[in-house]
């Protein structure tokens, strides 16, 4: 029976790296070690455990059934270890060191230029490491300890997280100038019935919310899925007759040239944006304080963005 003294955190780190990259060479590069050294450590761990973690040949690397379970446990061990180190380094100052923060793509370009300088000014010893990803990947990053916190929409499936609400972000209609749907100052939801609407591609939580709204009011999704809100805005500007839904947060940037007619909806659906982190994170109080800073620096709606 192996003991805990027979297993090192370094070995667990190497195993997780191979599981993530499905390649020993790539994993070695990720861990900044030579491939023979990494392979030897993994072989040693397999010998201690008495099970094979990976199937490997000249073409590919795959996790075994035992490897799937043990890698999941290794991730949890590394996450807990990271939390211990994080807690220790911040006991004297919770806003020193590195904070890994994830942000969804439908938020990042519209708020980071505003909030990052405010955070840096208030917490000069804090180093932000930002990652822009779709919600599913951010949630996985939180669970696996690669992220400390994330800015997301609470309307998405997030699992078990702690949260601090930052802002409500209403949806607006964006259409080419002169389009019938934007003749009113506020567009009743029923006026979207039978309209052709451009939406984001799968994986964006904003797509799920907008699609649910379209189905409820009888709007039709156009057979085109954009990778970003910028693409949606540009496609509507092209004047093909389609409209789109945007979060109000994005309007000042996406309609900075005033080529879209933008109108609020009545009643106004919205998404709730929040800072989230995994339960048990050792610096939850510090993240609550960070959320206060984010709220204070959060961009405010500007009427001049509407046309």
């Amino acid at each position: 029976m192996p003991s805990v003294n027979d297993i090192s955190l370094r070995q667990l780190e190497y195993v997780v790296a191979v599981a993530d990259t499905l390649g020993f060479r790539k994993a070695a590069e990720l861990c900044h070690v030579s491939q023979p050294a990494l392979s030897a450590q993994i072989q040693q761990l397999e010998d201690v455990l008495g099970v094979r973690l990976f199937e490997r040949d000249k073409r590919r690397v795959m996790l075994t059934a035992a490897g799937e379970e043990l890698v999941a446990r290794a991730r949890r061990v590394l996450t807990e270890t990271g939390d211990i180190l994080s807690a220790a380094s911040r006991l004297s100052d919770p806003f020193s060191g590195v904070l890994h923060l994830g942000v969804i793509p439908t938020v990042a370009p519209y708020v980071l230029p505003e909030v990052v300088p405010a955070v840096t000014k208030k917490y000069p010893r804090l180093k932000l490491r930002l990652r822009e990803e779709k919600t599913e990947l951010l949630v996985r990053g939180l669970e696996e300890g690669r992220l400390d916190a994330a800015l997301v929409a609470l309307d998405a499936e997030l699992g078990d997280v702690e949260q601090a609400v930052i802002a409500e972000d209403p949806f607006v209609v964006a259409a080419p100038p002169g389009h019938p749907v934007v003749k009113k100052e506020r567009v009743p939801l029923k006026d979207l019935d039978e309209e052709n609407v451009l939406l984001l591609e799968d994986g964006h939580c904003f797509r799920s919310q907008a699609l649910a709204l379209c189905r409820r009011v009888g709007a039709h999704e156009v057979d085109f899925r954009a990778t970003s809100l910028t693409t949606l805005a540009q496609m509507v500007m092209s004047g093909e007759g389609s409209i789109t839904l945007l979060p109000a947060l994005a309007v000042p940037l996406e309609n900075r040239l005033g080529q879209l007619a933008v109108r609020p909806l009545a009643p106004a659906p919205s998404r709730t944006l929040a800072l989230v982190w995994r339960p048990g994170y050792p610096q939850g109080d510090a993240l609550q304080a960070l959320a206060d800073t984010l709220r204070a620096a959060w961009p405010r709606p500007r009427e001049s963005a509407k046309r």
Side-chain angles (χ1 to χ4, degrees), residues 18-300:
V18 174
D20 286 342
T21 62
L22 294 180
F24 280 70
R25 181 180 59 80
K26 291 181 180 179
E29 292 173 354
L30 186 65
C31 296
H32 306 291
V33 296
S34 68
Q35 183 174 335
L38 179 138
S39 297
Q41 287 292 318
I42 290 179
Q43 182 64 59
Q44 183 178 335
L45 180 61
E46 289 179 323
D47 292 343
V48 167
L49 297 176
V51 295
R52 290 185 62 193
L53 302 177
F54 301 102
E55 295 180 22
R56 41 203 187 266
D57 56 32
K58 293 182 179 179
R59 293 182 301 167
R60 61 179 180 173
V61 174
M62 295 175 58
L63 276 168
T64 64
E68 290 277 0
E69 180 177 347
L70 293 177
V71 165
R73 294 179 181 273
R75 290 189 195 278
R76 291 198 290 271
V77 170
L78 293 174
T79 296
E80 292 295 330
T81 303
D83 284 349
I84 291 172
L85 295 174
S86 176
S89 67
R90 295 181 185 175
L91 280 174
S92 59
D93 181 359
F95 293 105
S96 63
V98 177
L99 181 75
H100 297 272
L101 177 66
V103 191
I104 55 176
T106 57
V107 167
Y110 313 111
V111 306
L112 292 183
E114 301 278 350
V115 303
V116 169
V119 171
T120 301
K121 181 178 180 180
K122 188 171 182 63
Y123 309 114
R125 298 181 61 191
L126 184 67
K127 295 181 175 63
L128 285 178
R129 295 291 182 266
L130 301 170
R131 186 174 187 86
E132 182 181 338
E133 294 280 10
K134 295 176 183 177
T135 303
E136 180 183 0
L137 295 178
L138 295 184
V139 170
R140 190 182 307 164
L142 288 175
E143 292 173 346
E144 296 174 358
R146 290 179 284 104
L147 292 175
D148 298 303
L151 271 172
V152 297
L154 291 183
D155 314 81
E157 181 56 51
L158 302 175
D160 187 17
V161 295
E162 300 289 334
Q163 65 185 54
V165 173
I166 304 298
E168 286 294 321
D169 188 20
F171 302 169
V172 298
V173 176
H179 192 286
V181 82
V182 290
K183 287 183 177 179
K184 300 175 183 177
E185 284 301 308
R186 298 182 68 85
V187 179
L189 286 177
K190 63 180 179 62
D191 285 6
L192 300 183
D193 183 33
E194 299 299 324
E195 290 292 339
N196 294 320
V197 183
L198 290 160
L199 298 177
L200 290 171
E201 66 180 357
D202 290 332
H204 290 277
C205 56
F206 184 72
R207 168 186 165 76
S208 301
Q209 296 163 269
L211 183 59
L213 175 62
C214 288
R215 287 172 174 169
R216 191 168 83 239
V217 300
H220 304 297
E221 180 185 4
V222 175
D223 189 19
F224 171 85
R225 296 184 181 181
T227 58
S228 68
L229 296 178
T230 297
T231 303
L232 285 182
Q234 293 294 325
M235 289 294 292
V236 172
M237 289 178 194
S238 70
E240 295 298 321
S242 299
I243 65 173
T244 194
L245 299 174
L246 295 175
L249 189 65
V251 172
L253 181 60
E254 301 303 347
N255 197 32
R256 58 193 178 279
L257 300 180
Q259 294 176 286
L260 291 171
V262 178
R263 299 289 184 272
L265 289 159
S270 67
R271 58 180 181 170
T272 302
L273 302 177
L275 185 70
V276 301
W277 57 94
R278 60 184 172 276
Y281 181 75
Q283 297 297 329
D285 290 344
L287 291 179
Q288 290 282 2
L290 177 63
D292 291 338
T293 302
L294 295 177
R295 288 188 204 99
W298 202 258
R300 300 293 182 260

